[in-house]
Amino acid sequence: MTNLQPYSPQSDIEPLRNQSPRTKKIPDFDRVYTIRLINTLPATQQITLFGAYQFLLQFPVNTSLPTTVTATILVGLAPREVAFNSISNRMYVTNTTSNTVSVLDWVTNLVVGVPIAVGIAPDGIAFNSINNRMYVCNSTAGTVSVIDCVTNLVIGVPIVVGAGPVRIAFNSISNRMYVTNFGAGTVSV
C-alpha cells in the first residue's frame, strides 16, 4: 500500500539527501508528494505518478536482496506496459510502436509465439482472471482489444471507449474493466 501526502512547508525542512530509502519526494509543478511505503514486499517497489511529468520509480525495498538485472528479453518496439496472467503464468507486454502484444514465459525468459497484433499504439493492459482474457488500451485508436489467453488471438472487433485510453484496471468483484481516457478526461466501464 502506498500513501501519497501533499506537500506542506514543514515537510520541506528535511533535505532530500537525508531521506530513508523508503521515502521519496517528487516535485510536480508546485507540489511535492511524499511516498511512504507502508506494506513492503521482499522485492522491488514500483510507483508511477502522473502530473506534469510521468515518473516511474523503482528502488529496492529490502536492500539485502539482489537488485541486478537477471535477463534482457527482446520484444516489439517501444514496450510500454506489462500484465501477468495468473492462470497461464505468462507475462503480456504492450509494444506501442509495433502495435502488438508480446507474450513471455517468465520461467525461461523467452517470447512465446509471434507478437499479437492489436489496435494502434497499445498502452495499458490488464488481465481478467474470471474469463482468462487480456484487455489492451489502444491509445491512438480510442479502443480496447480483447485477447483470449488460451489461443493468444484477438477476439472480435475492438471495443470503442473515449479518446486516448491509456490505463486499464480490472475489478474482480464486479467483473468489470475500468479504462482511463486521457484525451477525453473520462473513465469507461
Side-chain angles (χ1 to χ4, degrees):
M1 174 186 285
T2 303
N3 181 18
L4 293 178
Q5 299 174 347
Y7 169 77
S8 67
Q10 292 79 18
S11 66
D12 199 33
I13 297 170
E14 176 189 30
L16 293 177
R17 61 182 166 78
N18 290 334
Q19 292 184 40
S20 74
R22 295 177 187 263
T23 302
K24 302 289 179 199
K25 286 188 181 179
I26 302 166
D28 184 15
F29 280 118
D30 59 343
R31 292 191 247 180
V32 175
Y33 289 95
T34 301
I35 301 169
R36 287 193 173 78
L37 301 177
I38 297 170
N39 185 12
T40 59
L41 303 171
T44 59
Q45 181 71 38
Q46 292 186 358
I47 300 168
T48 305
L49 294 179
F50 298 95
Y53 306 99
Q54 179 176 335
F55 297 94
L56 173 62
L57 303 178
Q58 185 173 356
F59 53 92
V61 173
N62 182 345
T63 55
S64 65
L65 295 175
T67 58
T68 59
V69 174
T70 58
T72 300
I73 306 167
L74 293 176
V75 293
L77 298 175
R80 181 77 174 155
E81 296 287 327
V82 64
F84 179 69
N85 179 329
S86 57
I87 296 172
S88 69
N89 291 322
R90 292 193 169 157
M91 306 299 288
Y92 286 70
V93 180
T94 58
N95 305 305
T96 303
T97 305
S98 300
N99 299 326
T100 61
V101 172
S102 296
V103 183
L104 308 177
D105 181 327
W106 67 272
V107 175
T108 63
N109 289 327
L110 296 175
V111 175
V112 176
V114 297
I116 304 163
V118 291
I120 301 170
D123 196 334
I125 184 168
F127 177 62
N128 180 327
S129 56
I130 296 172
N131 65 14
N132 194 22
R133 294 178 178 169
M134 284 287 171
Y135 291 75
V136 181
C137 293
N138 302 308
S139 61
T140 301
T143 61
V144 172
S145 295
V146 182
I147 299 172
D148 180 335
C149 292
V150 174
T151 62
N152 282 335
L153 296 174
V154 173
I155 299 172
V157 297
I159 302 163
V160 177
V161 293
V166 291
R167 299 292 177 265
I168 187 167
F170 176 60
N171 180 333
S172 60
I173 296 171
S174 67
N175 191 25
R176 295 181 189 266
M177 288 287 175
Y178 291 79
V179 180
T180 60
N181 304 304
F182 182 75
T186 61
V187 173
S188 297
V189 181

